[in-house]
Amino acid sequence: MQKLFTLILFIALASSTFAQVNSYNGYKWGTPYSEMEDKLVPSDNKIPGYKSYEMKNQEMKFEGFTVHTLSYVFKKNVFYGVNIGFYSKDKETILALLTKKYGEPKAVETPFVVNYEWHLEKTAMALTYLPTNQGDKSLSFTMGKKK
């Protein structure tokens, strides 16, 4: 009985932790651009249908990893999510960290793209790897408001 209670408690705590992801860097999905615009500059990271910005003086780190891109993404002047570009050499370590933090991902693999997806209560996340890209910038992580 004690083991069953412990298991139920663990599942409840894990679920509540996952359900709380609805923001990045203190900004909730849905925050109006006007509340963030004085901290943002346009980004070179172009995403069709969205506007991308970088935070002024933002440290280019995520979970302790150096990143080459960290874009705040807006749709219709509302904060929609972030797009983070990692270096490919960190792929396995980042995947392990995200799996530990958010649970086992759904893997969607093709010869050109590998997606590891997490669908939480309020947030969708994807770690995307481009295996045919020969450069070191073929790994990105996107997290944002779940549709």
Side-chain angles (χ1 to χ4, degrees):
M1 189 62 162
Q2 181 65 26
K3 287 182 182 181
L4 178 60
F5 176 75
T6 303
L7 178 62
I8 292 170
L9 181 62
F10 175 76
I11 291 170
L13 287 173
S15 297
S16 68
T17 299
F18 295 162
Q20 292 176 18
V21 178
N22 65 352
S23 65
Y24 180 77
N25 200 18
Y27 296 100
K28 287 187 176 184
W29 314 141
T31 300
Y33 173 76
S34 60
E35 291 182 23
M36 299 171 68
E37 71 180 309
D38 62 329
K39 299 173 184 80
L40 300 171
V41 295
S43 173
D44 292 335
N45 187 18
K46 305 294 182 209
I47 302 170
Y50 299 86
K51 291 186 178 179
S52 298
Y53 300 88
E54 293 178 7
M55 191 71 65
K56 293 176 186 174
N57 303 314
Q58 173 84 41
E59 183 180 18
M60 298 301 281
K61 296 252 184 208
F62 178 81
E63 297 285 346
F65 292 92
T66 299
V67 301
H68 58 80
T69 308
L70 204 162
S71 300
Y72 292 73
V73 179
F74 289 79
K75 185 170 188 171
K76 296 182 181 176
N77 288 322
V78 172
F79 181 45
Y80 195 78
V82 292
N83 180 261
I84 302 167
F86 289 102
Y87 293 96
S88 305
K89 64 181 174 52
D90 297 323
K91 177 183 166 256
E92 294 304 322
T93 310
I94 292 166
L95 179 58
L97 173 103
L98 294 171
T99 299
K100 181 177 180 183
K101 194 168 188 174
Y102 301 113
E104 201 61 42
K106 174 185 172 189
V108 179
E109 299 183 34
T110 73
F112 306 103
V113 176
V114 179
N115 256 356
Y116 301 96
E117 301 173 356
W118 294 264
H119 298 277
L120 310 181
E121 183 179 319
K122 297 180 180 182
T123 301
M125 302 179 198
L127 182 66
T128 303
Y129 175 63
L130 305 173
T132 59
N133 185 332
Q134 298 300 311
D136 191 34
K137 295 182 177 181
S138 61
L139 184 66
S140 69
F141 178 62
T142 304
M143 64 187 296
K145 183 178 181 180
K146 193 171 186 177
K147 293 181 180 181

